[in-house]
């Protein structure tokens, strides 16, 4: 049976509609008459999407989360092939930027990373088939719908991905608080694969050894480490800062 996922809340559902992904049903609270609800009704009609106007208690039965009066039921995302995606990015004549997530299992962290990655122009996120966060309604909510709009590659062997990325001309930069070098001391103005590890386990030794450079975020306070999604956002900001610096 094909897996389904729920996008709940105004922004995630609007993102779902804009993505042109296959949508099974949209549940809209029937007593809501706002500009965004009219937009959802119009787009659902144009795309022949099954729109159900339901009472609030029906939505509450579908989820305990803050649905804001609207829930979208869609097919689970289609995972992309890394090699095909990388070739497509090179064909556009731009520097590829990919992010590999090593053993990040918290769905909210994963969703937040996807949100930052999509906003900062990452071409694709690579996750392992095992020891990775589920892509479910909680992750979509945490990403504010960004999961729907970013390419995700799910791979059996992360080491193989890193080797293929390097063979294709990408530099591999791992982000670890154990590094002696700050991330802003590393040249990021090149085709790049960034590696982010989990808060508990960090990045595996094998992936660290395959990396071209390892950098850390400088910590000025007493806190020893940062949340993985916060760290990803800071590193992506540094990447974009360097791209815009002569």
């Amino acid at each position: 049976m094909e897996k389904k996922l729920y996008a709940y809340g105004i922004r995630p559902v609007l993102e779902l509609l804009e993505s042109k992904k296959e949508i099974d049903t949209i549940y809209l609270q029937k007593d809501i008459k706002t500009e965004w609800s009219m937009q959802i009704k119009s787009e659902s009609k144009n795309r022949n999407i099954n729109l159900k106007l339901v009472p609030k208690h029906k939505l509450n039965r579908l989820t305990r989360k803050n649905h804001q009066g609207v829930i979208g039921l869609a097919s689970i995302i289609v995972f992309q092939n890394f090699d095909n995606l990388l070739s497509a990015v090179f064909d556009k004549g731009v520097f590829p930027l990919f992010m590999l997530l090593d053993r990040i299992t918290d769905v909210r962290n994963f969703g937040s990373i996807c949100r930052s990655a999509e906003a900062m122009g990452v071409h694709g996120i690579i996750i392992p088939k095992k020891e990775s966060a589920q892509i479910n309604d909680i992750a979509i909510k945490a990403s504010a719908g960004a999961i729907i709009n970013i390419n995700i590659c799910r791979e059996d062997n992360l080491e193989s991905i890193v080797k293929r990325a390097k063979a294709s001309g990408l530099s591999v930069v791992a982000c670890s608080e154990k590094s002696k070098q700050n991330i802003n001391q590393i040249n990021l103005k090149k085709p790049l694969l960034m590696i982010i590890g989990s808060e508990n386990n960090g990045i595996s030794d094998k992936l660290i050894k395959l990396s071209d450079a390892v950098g850390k975020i400088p910590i000025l306070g007493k806190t020893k480490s940062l949340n993985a999604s916060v760290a990803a956002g800071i590193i992506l900001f540094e990447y974009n800062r360097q791209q815009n610096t002569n």
Side-chain angles (χ1 to χ4, degrees), residues 45-116:
K45 183 178 180 180
N46 292 339
R47 293 182 53 190
N48 198 28
I49 295 170
N50 183 27
L51 176 67
K52 293 185 177 181
L53 302 179
V54 298
K56 185 176 181 179
H57 66 80
K58 169 70 173 179
L59 298 175
N60 291 340
R61 286 204 302 267
L62 292 174
T63 180
R64 295 181 180 179
K65 306 297 181 181
N66 180 20
H67 52 69
Q68 299 176 299
V70 63
I71 297 174
L73 177 61
S75 298
I76 202 74
I77 66 167
V78 177
F79 292 106
Q80 304 297 315
N81 176 274
F82 170 71
D83 298 294
N84 293 342
L85 186 57
L86 179 59
S87 295
V89 175
F90 271 125
D91 287 344
K92 293 179 181 178
V94 297
F95 279 174
L97 172 60
F98 285 83
M99 181 169 279
L100 186 151
L101 307 183
D102 183 24
R103 297 174 293 180
I104 291 181
T105 57
D106 183 272
V107 293
R108 290 181 177 84
N109 257 342
F110 176 73
S112 296
I113 290 172
C114 288
R115 183 176 186 174
S116 296

Side-chain angles (χ1 to χ4, degrees), residues 99 113 116-117 120 196 217 228-238:
M99 181 169 279
I113 290 172
S116 296
M120 291 290 186
I196 304 290
I217 297 170
S229 62
V230 172
I234 293 172
I235 292 163
L236 286 170
F237 177 83
E238 172 60 21

Side-chain angles (χ1 to χ4, degrees), residues 35-209:
E35 183 177 346
W36 63 262
S37 68
M38 296 301 295
Q39 181 182 348
I40 288 173
K41 288 179 182 179
S42 176
E43 186 66 18
S44 297
K45 183 178 180 180
N46 292 339
R47 293 182 53 190
N48 198 28
I49 295 170
N50 183 27
L51 176 67
K52 293 185 177 181
L53 302 179
V54 298
K56 185 176 181 179
H57 66 80
K58 169 70 173 179
L59 298 175
N60 291 340
R61 286 204 302 267
L62 292 174
T63 180
R64 295 181 180 179
K65 306 297 181 181
N66 180 20
H67 52 69
Q68 299 176 299
V70 63
I71 297 174
L73 177 61
S75 298
I76 202 74
I77 66 167
V78 177
F79 292 106
Q80 304 297 315
N81 176 274
F82 170 71
D83 298 294
N84 293 342
L85 186 57
L86 179 59
S87 295
V89 175
F90 271 125
D91 287 344
K92 293 179 181 178
V94 297
F95 279 174
L97 172 60
F98 285 83
M99 181 169 279
L100 186 151
L101 307 183
D102 183 24
R103 297 174 293 180
I104 291 181
T105 57
D106 183 272
V107 293
R108 290 181 177 84
N109 257 342
F110 176 73
S112 296
I113 290 172
C114 288
R115 183 176 186 174
S116 296
E118 198 281 331
M120 291 290 186
V122 172
H123 295 109
I125 288 180
I126 303 158
I127 59 175
K129 287 187 176 179
K130 297 181 179 179
E131 293 188 281
S132 183
Q134 291 186 355
I135 301 178
N136 55 21
D137 57 333
I138 298 174
I140 291 175
K141 184 68 174 179
S143 78
I147 283 176
I148 297 163
N149 293 321
I150 193 165
N151 295 306
I152 299 178
C153 310
R154 189 169 63 176
E155 301 289 341
D156 288 309
N157 190 323
L158 296 185
E159 295 168 48
S160 174
I161 288 293
V162 172
K163 291 176 182 178
R164 279 146 54 194
K166 293 178 71 171
S168 298
L170 273 66
S171 291
V172 178
V173 176
C175 307
S176 171
E177 72 275 8
K178 297 178 182 179
S179 174
K180 295 181 180 179
Q181 187 177 26
N182 289 339
I183 193 69
N184 59 359
Q185 296 173 315
I186 298 173
N187 178 18
L188 305 179
K189 298 179 71 172
K190 57 182 70 175
L192 199 65
L193 172 65
M194 292 182 178
I195 304 179
I196 304 290
S198 70
E199 294 169 53
N200 293 330
N201 301 312
I203 300 171
S204 71
D205 291 338
K206 291 181 179 179
L207 293 180
I208 289 286
K209 290 178 181 178

